[in-house]
Amino acid sequence: MSRCFAAAVLALAAVSAARADLYVVAHASNPQASLTQQQVLELFMGRQRAFADGSFALVFDLPRDNPVRERFYQQVAGMSPAQVN
């Protein structure tokens, strides 16, 4: 896969029933090692379409009815998915 194609994917890794972490995952060829919460917000809100190096960021989101998606937008944007869409 080329470096210009980078995908950000929201994923859930359940650590325990009481605690679960949210992750944003990019393709292994993406040179950007980490993203700030603001950068993640900009990508998922469609305000930013590229990573810092200029490579295109194709964002994939969880289905609208997924509770993890709701938690993600609450934590990252302080909004419900209904407010985001």
Side-chain angles (χ1 to χ4, degrees):
M1 210 175 262
S2 76
R3 237 183 59 136
C4 338
F5 180 79
V9 181
L10 174 62
L12 172 70
V15 176
S16 71
R19 181 176 169 257
D21 295 321
L22 295 170
Y23 293 90
V24 173
V25 180
H27 190 270
S29 68
N30 187 325
Q32 189 154 348
S34 64
L35 294 169
T36 66
Q37 182 172 332
Q38 185 63 37
Q39 289 170 315
V40 170
L41 175 63
E42 298 293 320
L43 287 170
F44 276 85
M45 296 291 284
R47 297 180 193 145
Q48 192 66 251
R49 298 279 184 205
F51 291 102
D53 71 345
S55 60
F56 180 71
L58 178 60
V59 177
F60 293 98
D61 209 341
L62 292 172
R64 292 180 188 262
D65 62 346
N66 190 304
V68 175
R69 184 175 190 261
E70 183 171 344
R71 189 164 61 90
F72 172 81
Y73 282 104
Q74 283 293 336
Q75 286 182 357
V76 174
M79 296 185 244
S80 72
Q83 292 172 301
V84 171
N85 298 326

